[in-house]
Amino acid sequence: MTQSQYVRKCPECGSINLFINKEKGEIICKDCGLVIEDKMVDFRQEWREFDSDGAEKKRRSGAPMTYTQYDMGLGTEVGQKSDLYSLSGKDRNKFFRLRKWQYRISTAIERNLKLALAELKRSSSYLKLPQSVEEEAARIYTLAVQRGLVRGRSMESVVAGALYAACRRHEVPRTLDELSEASGIEKKEIGRTYRFVTRELGITILPSNPADYIARFSSSLRLSPETQSHAVEILEKAQESELTSGRGPTGIAAAALYVSALIHGEKRTQREVADVAGVTEVTIRNRYKELLEELGLEKEIKKVKKK
DNA sequence: AAGACGAAAGTGGTTGA
DNA sequence: TCAACAACTTTCGTCTT
């Protein structure tokens, strides 16, 4: 068996110097900053089977239990026909009633879940989200359905809201614009259901950290790793100076990246940065101005300009 | 001609009486 | 429930490269 098929190379620069961030499920090329794969799930089993006897012993589970299956891969029914013989009279009627209700309730919810989870899968693969996020979103959605929070709202918007929340919780934030593009639901609507669902379910979500956006933005702008890490440093300083509170995290991330690119002689226009970050040039300008004032970065930029 | 800059008016959401 | 408010956007004119 050759080893080479398992060694990953960066398709952009051929480097094998890759940084694997398991928490976020991202693989990033350290040399060119390209995000190679957002989704890393190893589906191979981690043991080997030599014969059917060994296989029996080593396989230790049925299908994995997962929220991305509408019934978690397990099914439940009230009783079985064969139980009937042990019952009589009242009990027998009760048995039938329970079974009927179980059937009605579960089919209504399950039918909804089946559709919703298909939609969820579609959106999350479109956004290249890691499995763990999809799983979390499915969990949130399932809870929402059980509490009847979907009533009066479109199923798709609740799915999008759940996904958005799951992304935030796993610190792989996507912007509302991206969610909107993936699901075809209006930004406003997603935001609304997101807030509603998280409030009703009592899910607390930390404000997203601008640094979480840097890797992705930087990758789509094809900036060098130096620029990227410098942008993160700038962000840290900005946070100490309390420039970040109350501001949109994407705007701050975009401005930090813009400044960092200037300093490293990899100038991108405000327009370009604004587009990938999903904010306007004006916002970048404002944050940019604040960054310069607070952190005294003017000298560094002038240095580069002279060259 | 394109990009950067800044002013002014408008939008959607939060907060506090 | 309403008004004040902060952040962000849109639009547009001017300056710089």
Side-chain angles (χ1 to χ4, degrees), chain A residues 65-73 109 112-121 123-124 129-146 150 158-167 169-170 197 201 203:
Chain A
M65 190 175 96
T66 167
Y67 280 96
T68 51
Q69 294 272 298
Y70 66 93
D71 59 0
M72 298 192 208
I109 291 182
N112 185 317
L113 277 179
K114 250 185 203 171
L115 282 170
L117 293 175
E119 172 66 18
L120 176 70
K121 255 200 160 60
S123 297
S124 91
L129 292 168
Q131 179 75 28
S132 58
V133 172
E134 192 183 320
E135 184 84 10
E136 173 85 5
R139 214 195 91 230
I140 295 172
Y141 185 85
T142 308
L143 286 175
V145 172
Q146 286 166 353
V150 186
V158 180
V159 167
L163 246 186
Y164 182 66
C167 288
R169 294 200 95 191
H170 286 248
V197 168
L201 296 179
I203 297 172

Side-chain angles (χ1 to χ4, degrees), chain A residues 15-28:
Chain A
S15 162
I16 54 165
N17 186 14
L18 304 179
F19 174 69
I20 297 173
N21 184 333
K22 286 193 179 162
E23 261 175 53
K24 296 190 187 179
E26 287 174 342
I27 300 178
I28 298 161

Side-chain angles (χ1 to χ4, degrees), chain A residues 10 13 15 17-19 27-36 225:
Chain A
C10 172
C13 64
S15 162
N17 186 14
L18 304 179
F19 174 69
I27 300 178
I28 298 161
C29 173
K30 284 187 182 171
D31 288 338
C32 67
L34 182 74
V35 175
I36 297 166

Side-chain angles (χ1 to χ4, degrees), chain A residues 113-267:
Chain A
L113 277 179
K114 250 185 203 171
L115 282 170
L117 293 175
E119 172 66 18
L120 176 70
K121 255 200 160 60
R122 208 187 52 74
S123 297
S124 91
S125 80
Y126 181 91
L127 292 169
K128 302 194 171 166
L129 292 168
Q131 179 75 28
S132 58
V133 172
E134 192 183 320
E135 184 84 10
E136 173 85 5
R139 214 195 91 230
I140 295 172
Y141 185 85
T142 308
L143 286 175
V145 172
Q146 286 166 353
R147 301 246 189 126
L149 302 180
V150 186
R151 191 161 304 184
R153 253 163 280 270
S154 78
M155 191 201 78
E156 290 91 341
S157 72
V158 180
V159 167
L163 246 186
Y164 182 66
C167 288
R168 296 273 296 265
R169 294 200 95 191
H170 286 248
E171 298 185 333
V172 272
R174 301 291 125 132
T175 62
L176 280 176
D177 281 314
E178 291 169 298
L179 260 299
S180 173
E181 203 196 321
S183 63
I185 308 287
E186 263 186 274
K187 214 169 114 181
K188 281 190 271 176
E189 184 64 23
I190 299 177
R192 244 206 312 271
T193 51
Y194 156 74
R195 253 174 282 118
F196 177 74
V197 168
T198 48
R199 184 155 36 84
E200 290 297 315
L201 296 179
I203 297 172
T204 49
I205 296 196
L206 311 166
S208 62
N209 181 351
D212 292 330
Y213 290 99
I214 292 287
R216 220 152 35 83
F217 292 167
S218 165
S219 168
S220 31
L221 287 169
R222 324 236 128 200
L223 292 168
S224 72
E226 290 79 33
T227 305
Q228 183 179 326
S229 56
H230 194 176
V232 175
E233 284 170 32
I234 293 174
L235 274 181
E236 282 166 7
K237 283 185 201 159
Q239 268 164 348
E240 283 166 24
S241 319
E242 309 208 330
L243 281 180
T244 56
S245 66
R247 271 78 202 276
T250 49
I252 298 172
L257 213 44
Y258 175 69
V259 178
S260 183
L262 276 183
I263 294 175
H264 287 86
E266 299 184 294
K267 189 167 176 6

